[in-house]
Amino acid sequence: LVATARRYAAAGRIDVVENLRNKKIYTYDGVSEHHEGYATKSTREFFEAFGADVLANFTTPGGHGWPQASGINPCGDLGRWWMGAWFQGSPWAVENCGYDGPGAMLHHFYGPLNPPADAVVRNSVLLFDQAPFGDVHKTGLDKPGMIYVPA
């Protein structure tokens, strides 16, 4: 992938890869995801090959969601897929893992932060249609997506 990116950049098909040097990148993969995290680890390796400043966490026992210091669902919750049904706990992908993943990411990008909110404001979690971003069957995305818009 690194060689392909370099080749595409040299041909002018993508921006020059030197632009990735020192860029802040965050990647997370909970260890209870029931896979080895190859894609996420490969993503880290890809950006590191171009000199990006990568912060990675592959040690938190989270599932497929946002790990937080005090989330809604248990850490490693295997549930979700909620518009068609099936979910354990809450449909919100916010897990109580004792690790503030969004805070770690934002701190890596911007430096010191204000303290996080005491709780997720559920009225600030909005649904949107992800279908315009690609065929949901090819991208692996569900049709509905969620975005948190602080009040």
Side-chain angles (χ1 to χ4, degrees):
L1 189 57
V2 169
T4 300
R6 289 187 196 282
R7 199 169 50 254
Y8 279 26
R13 295 177 69 183
I14 62 172
D15 287 344
V16 295
V17 294
E18 289 77 19
N19 290 342
L20 296 173
R21 179 168 301 287
N22 298 320
K23 295 295 187 224
K24 305 277 187 180
I25 304 294
Y26 174 82
T27 184
Y28 165 81
D29 198 345
V31 296
S32 69
E33 277 276 345
H34 302 291
H35 64 83
E36 298 296 323
Y38 296 120
T40 311
K41 290 176 182 171
S42 294
T43 299
R44 175 192 59 192
E45 293 165 4
F46 175 83
F47 284 106
E48 285 176 341
F50 297 112
D53 179 5
V54 180
L55 174 63
N57 180 316
F58 302 118
T59 60
T60 300
H64 188 75
W66 284 103
Q68 296 201 330
S70 57
I72 298 169
N73 293 314
C75 192
D77 179 45
L78 299 177
R80 216 75 63 236
W81 187 70
W82 60 285
M83 287 305 281
W86 172 72
F87 54 84
Q88 293 173 236
S90 165
W92 312 114
V94 180
E95 298 181 5
N96 186 353
C97 292
Y99 166 70
D100 182 8
M105 176 183 66
L106 293 170
H107 184 270
H108 181 62
F109 293 162
Y110 303 112
L113 304 170
N114 291 332
D118 292 331
V120 173
V121 179
R122 292 183 188 208
N123 290 342
S124 293
V125 179
L126 308 173
L127 291 176
F128 69 98
D129 183 4
Q130 296 189 116
F133 302 104
D135 182 331
V136 295
H137 300 292
K138 291 180 181 176
T139 63
L141 298 172
D142 283 335
K143 189 174 183 320
M146 285 187 275
I147 184 168
Y148 180 69
V149 181

